[in-house]
Amino acid sequence: MTYTKPCLCWLEMVLEERYGLPLIVSEDSQGLYMKLSGAEGGIRFDTLQLEFHQSQSNFPCGEWNPYEEGLVPAMDGPLPTPGLINLANPLIQQRGTDALVHYDILGLTYWMLNRLEETSRTDLDSHQRFQAKSSHAYQHGYLERPIVDEWLFILGQLIKRVWPTAQLKIHEFHMKVSHDIDAPSRYGFRSAKSLLRGMAGDVLKNKSLKSAMLGPWIRLNTKQRLHPADPFNTFEWLMDISEECGVKSAFYLICGRTDPTRDADYEPEHPAIRNLMRRIHERGHEIGLHASYGSYKRPEVILAEANRLRLIAKEEGIMQDKWGGRMHYLRWEHPTTLRAWEQAGMSYDSTLGYADLPGFRCGTCFEYPAFDPIKQQLLNIRIRPLIAMECTVIAERYMNLGYTNAALSKFVSLKEACRVVGGCFTLLWHNSHLASQQDRTLYKKLI
């Protein structure tokens, strides 16, 4: 048997969230069989692929044209078929009251959503991250496609063929925008030495004498609240834009210092940060955790940082139904980091996007229940995939598209891919990356 009972239970949860139907999945000697509770007939998946239960990227990928079999794809062009080149013809057959599928759609869903590909990998970057360019999706050209959502769109059509009276759940496109608060202030929390270094950088690198001259004044006057002239204090502007567009922003705070050179220079208990938290909450936006650089393999550290954030929020009278966030630098070891978030009592995590390239790391733009593929356990936390981060597209160290039409086009194409499948475009844009008019113009066009 390929699938454990908890794994089949997880698949049923994912399918019910997607279709709104009580679907039952079982495995036997002929593969996987999907039934609809109380109805006749079923859908048989008779080609179970071992690749979808292994940590590897080195296997082939073909493509399939659904139009040839009377089905309509969610997006233009053939669907990628990871793991399969020599496809059965036809790929889908009718056998009495059953549909027979010669491709492992549920296995692909399991492999992509639970990041089997990433477990126990050693080909990591300097921050110990699994890179987009190492992934099967990048190597076979489907990173910018929500491939799981596309295949589940096809499966939805098969469900209607087998059970014509079934009413499929309708999903509407939406956006979730979040802001990692690496630096809430350009100068307000700096040491004297760091302040001088920052001022020198403004003059020599950024050619901004005015910004450098403001430094000491901002630092001196960041006592009870962030200074309005601080170039990184873009929070009110961000909330204004979100509210104009009917979007709720999430602001993730760093609450630990496991690496002084990479973590924040502020303490979340500082009066100015408490004031910021109150203001975010008053305006109806969300506060979350941005777990520190060195915490991604240390569950006890993530727990301590989450508790620290929740304690400050409680002291400020801030109540939220759920608490989520993201790892600093998008550092992630799967499923270690995921389990740490669950153990910290968090509701969701939104780390799973790549730093080096934007796209669909999990093959989906839908939030979904988490599962540990190593221990084969359902987890009490949800995964909210990250589709794009601003610096991934703009910055020289990554795609280096800058503030060009090509950059805007890249963001918009990803957003439209999410729209086509009725999913969620999840965008990360740092508050400190809005200091220039170019940043703000690009952000507003995208939102």
Side-chain angles (χ1 to χ4, degrees):
M1 302 294 281
T2 306
Y3 291 90
T4 64
K5 186 175 180 180
C7 182
L8 292 173
C9 179
W10 174 83
L11 275 170
E12 291 172 353
M13 290 171 63
V14 171
L15 294 171
E16 183 166 4
E17 285 191 10
R18 186 60 58 99
Y19 302 119
L21 297 172
L23 295 162
I24 302 165
V25 182
S26 59
E27 183 183 6
D28 57 27
S29 60
Q30 300 177 60
L32 289 178
Y33 190 65
M34 188 171 78
K35 298 188 297 182
L36 176 62
S37 180
E40 293 186 0
I43 300 175
R44 164 76 65 185
F45 304 90
D46 68 347
T47 306
L48 300 189
Q49 295 167 235
L50 292 179
E51 296 92 342
F52 295 151
H53 299 268
Q54 298 172 357
S55 176
Q56 61 162 316
S57 304
N58 188 26
F59 57 89
C61 184
E63 60 180 30
W64 171 68
N65 186 346
Y67 284 120
E68 294 179 354
E69 300 190 30
L71 295 163
V72 180
M75 301 178 69
D76 292 335
L79 268 71
T81 57
L84 217 55
I85 291 181
N86 300 316
L87 305 181
N89 186 17
L91 195 69
I92 299 166
Q93 296 175 286
Q94 195 72 30
R95 294 279 180 86
T97 58
D98 286 359
L100 185 60
V101 183
H102 305 302
Y103 183 62
D104 196 357
I105 298 175
L106 298 185
L108 174 67
T109 301
Y110 170 71
W111 183 71
M112 287 293 294
L113 267 57
N114 292 314
R115 305 311 302 135
L116 264 292
E117 180 180 22
E118 299 185 29
T119 57
S120 305
R121 294 292 286 255
T122 57
D123 50 337
L124 309 176
D125 71 4
S126 60
H127 296 291
Q128 297 300 293
R129 300 176 298 198
F130 181 70
Q131 299 179 87
K133 291 179 181 178
S134 299
S135 71
H136 189 274
Y138 173 78
Q139 293 167 15
H140 293 277
Y142 62 88
L143 178 59
E144 295 185 10
R145 297 179 60 166
I147 184 173
V148 170
D149 302 331
E150 292 185 69
W151 273 106
L152 292 183
F153 184 76
I154 294 295
L155 183 55
Q157 294 173 64
L158 294 183
I159 289 172
K160 289 294 290 182
R161 278 187 180 181
V162 175
W163 302 293
T165 61
Q167 296 297 312
L168 300 184
K169 184 177 181 180
I170 298 174
H171 298 274
E172 293 187 2
F173 167 77
H174 60 290
M175 288 184 61
K176 287 192 180 295
V177 183
S178 55
H179 317 282
D180 294 348
I181 308 179
D182 300 343
S185 171
R186 180 76 173 88
Y187 300 109
F189 305 104
R190 291 193 171 205
S191 65
K193 182 179 179 180
S194 177
L195 176 64
L196 291 172
R197 189 164 56 245
M199 291 168 62
D202 281 339
V203 174
L204 299 174
K205 184 179 179 181
N206 302 325
K207 312 299 182 185
S208 177
L209 180 61
K210 179 182 177 182
S211 180
M213 295 299 290
L214 277 172
W217 179 252
I218 289 172
R219 182 171 180 268
L220 184 65
N221 288 279
T222 303
K223 302 296 185 185
Q224 296 301 315
R225 55 179 48 85
L226 299 173
H227 197 281
D230 193 312
F232 289 179
N233 182 12
T234 59
F235 300 102
E236 296 291 339
W237 185 87
L238 280 167
M239 289 187 281
D240 287 344
I241 298 300
S242 288
E243 289 163 17
E244 287 175 17
C245 302
V247 173
K248 183 176 180 179
S249 274
F251 297 87
Y252 302 146
L253 289 148
I254 294 180
C255 295
R257 193 169 290 120
T258 47
D259 186 330
T261 64
R262 292 186 172 95
D263 287 322
D265 61 1
Y266 66 91
E267 302 295 341
E269 292 87 0
H270 191 285
I273 301 300
R274 288 176 178 268
N275 178 269
L276 173 63
M277 291 174 65
R278 290 195 302 271
R279 184 62 180 151
I280 291 168
H281 184 65
E282 287 167 3
R283 293 190 61 167
H285 298 276
E286 181 188 342
I287 294 163
L289 178 67
H290 195 34
S292 64
Y293 183 84
S295 66
Y296 76 114
K297 291 196 290 187
R298 299 166 63 186
E300 74 283 359
V301 174
I302 293 179
L303 173 60
E305 292 178 5
N307 284 340
R308 186 180 182 188
L309 177 64
R310 288 187 288 243
L311 176 60
I312 298 167
K314 182 178 180 181
E315 291 171 351
E316 297 301 324
I318 296 170
M319 303 293 290
Q320 293 186 163
D321 293 334
K322 58 186 177 182
W323 291 89
R326 178 180 296 117
M327 296 301 300
H328 195 26
Y329 278 71
L330 304 185
R331 297 187 94 199
W332 190 267
E333 181 181 84
H334 200 69
T336 309
T337 314
L338 179 62
R339 293 193 73 97
W341 276 84
E342 185 208 34
Q343 290 163 19
M346 304 302 277
S347 307
Y348 73 87
D349 173 87
S350 190
T351 303
L352 285 174
Y354 293 115
D356 54 327
L357 289 170
F360 299 89
R361 181 172 180 172
C362 302
T364 183
C365 52
F366 284 77
E367 186 176 302
Y368 59 92
F371 184 78
D372 182 340
I374 303 300
K375 295 187 177 182
Q376 289 290 300
Q377 291 178 345
L378 289 160
L379 300 179
N380 188 29
I381 187 170
R382 296 180 66 78
I383 294 173
R384 182 179 294 175
L386 173 63
I387 310 303
M389 173 171 65
E390 94 283 358
C391 56
T392 299
V393 175
I394 296 169
E396 290 183 14
R397 66 186 182 277
Y398 294 127
M399 294 189 73
N400 192 26
L401 295 183
Y403 303 95
T404 62
N405 287 335
L408 179 60
S409 177
K410 180 62 66 179
F411 283 121
V412 170
S413 67
L414 292 164
K415 181 178 179 180
E416 289 308 304
C418 299
R419 189 189 303 277
V420 165
V421 296
C424 177
F425 178 55
T426 307
L427 174 69
L428 160 58
W429 203 292
H430 295 78
N431 65 285
S432 52
H433 212 298
L434 290 162
S436 74
Q437 189 56 50
Q438 285 180 310
D439 283 304
R440 296 189 179 208
T441 298
L442 181 59
Y443 182 77
K444 287 180 72 175
K445 284 181 179 179
L446 178 58
I447 297 298

